Structures are given as structure tokens and as C-alpha cells.
Amino acid sequence: MLNENIKTIRKSKGLSQQELAVKLNIVRQTVSKWEQGRSVPDSDMLISLSEALETPVSTLLGETVIETEVDTLKAISEKLEVVNLQLAQRKTAKRKMIYGSLISLCAIIVIVFAILVEFESPYLGWNYSDPETAVLGVAFHAFEWMFVRVAPIILIGAIIGIFSIRKKE
């Protein structure tokens, strides 16, 4: 019974044989011999053992101890910590990606506006008697018309998004 109780209580406390041996200032092989029933601790060592395991001597010497689920709970909590850390890292990476995308979108809109201002709608002076030139001119005009009306709204939304993401960090 003593050997089984030492092993069960040690495991339920999450201690290895080496860690218990260090607490008791003995070698690991001694703990192993106790757990295998090949030797028993003397009375002074039994008291030290009960203190190290935070268990009364009577429990060590008494009935068989049922292994608690502390190890299982400890393992689950450690796994949950890892999962939470991974989720936090993903969330941070996603936020950085969105932040970079919004900044890129703002830069592209400003560049396109600058190009449109610089060229001052050159298609307005084209000769539209040629069908291919007419189609190209209409396409340029439609793009410019749509861009001038939609891009400011997108730019404002992107700037608001940048500031809202920045505040959360």
C-alpha cells in the first residue's frame, strides 16, 4: 500500500521521481525503490515525504489512494494555454494584414487620383470617328467617372479602418 500511495500521490501532484527526490534531498533511485516496494522510508523520511507531498502520514500508510485527475486537468490547462496563445498570435497577424492592406488601398487611391489629375482627361480630345478609339475613350471616361465618385468613399472607409485597428493595438 505505501509504495502505491507514494506513486499515486506523487503523480497526482505532478511531480516526477527526480523532482520528489530533490525535495527530499535523496537520489531518484531511492524514490523508485519505494514505489516498487523494494524498500521503505524510515520514520524521519516518512515525515519529510508527507511534507513534500503535502499529505498526512496516515494517508501514506493507510488505504490505497485513488489517483486524482490533477494530472489530466494540468495537461488540459497547459494545452488550453497553448491554444489561446496561438489564437492570439493569429488574431494579431490578421490585424496586421488588414492594417497593411488598408494602407496599401489608401496609397493606390491617392496614386490613381494623382495620375488622373496629371493627365487631365486626355481622352476628351481624341477623335471618336474611329470605333476602337471611341470604345477606349468611353471606357476611360466610365472608369474616371466611377473612380471619382466611389474612391473618396472607399478612402474614407479605409482611413477609418486604419484608425480603428490602430486604437485596438
Side-chain angles (χ1 to χ4, degrees), residues 14-78:
L15 295 171
S16 66
Q17 288 183 345
Q18 181 64 37
E19 291 169 331
L20 180 58
V22 168
K23 280 187 171 192
L24 296 172
N25 209 16
I26 58 174
V27 294
R28 184 200 58 79
Q29 288 81 357
T30 303
V31 175
S32 177
K33 286 180 184 178
W34 292 342
E35 290 181 357
Q36 292 173 5
R38 292 181 17 212
S39 70
V40 292
D42 61 17
S43 60
D44 290 335
M45 188 54 70
L46 195 57
I47 292 170
S48 299
L49 182 61
S50 72
E51 290 171 358
L53 295 175
E54 301 171 347
T55 304
V57 174
S58 59
T59 303
L60 287 173
L61 296 173
E63 294 296 317
T64 304
V65 178
I66 299 172
E67 186 173 351
T68 61
E69 295 189 20
V70 173
D71 286 339
T72 307
L73 293 175
K74 186 176 179 182
I76 291 171
S77 67
E78 288 173 357

Side-chain angles (χ1 to χ4, degrees), residues 124-144:
L124 294 177
W126 292 353
N127 180 7
Y128 283 91
S129 60
D130 179 29
E132 291 175 358
T133 305
V135 170
L136 193 59
V138 169
F140 273 128
H141 180 70
F143 170 75
E144 185 179 72

Side-chain angles (χ1 to χ4, degrees), residues 107-120 147:
I108 290 169
I109 290 172
V110 169
I111 290 169
V112 171
F113 262 120
I115 290 170
L116 290 175
V117 167
E118 180 65 29
F119 288 121
E120 298 176 1
F147 186 80

Side-chain angles (χ1 to χ4, degrees), residues 141-153:
H141 180 70
F143 170 75
E144 185 179 72
W145 184 86
M146 187 65 130
F147 186 80
V148 167
R149 281 155 181 78
V150 174
I153 297 168

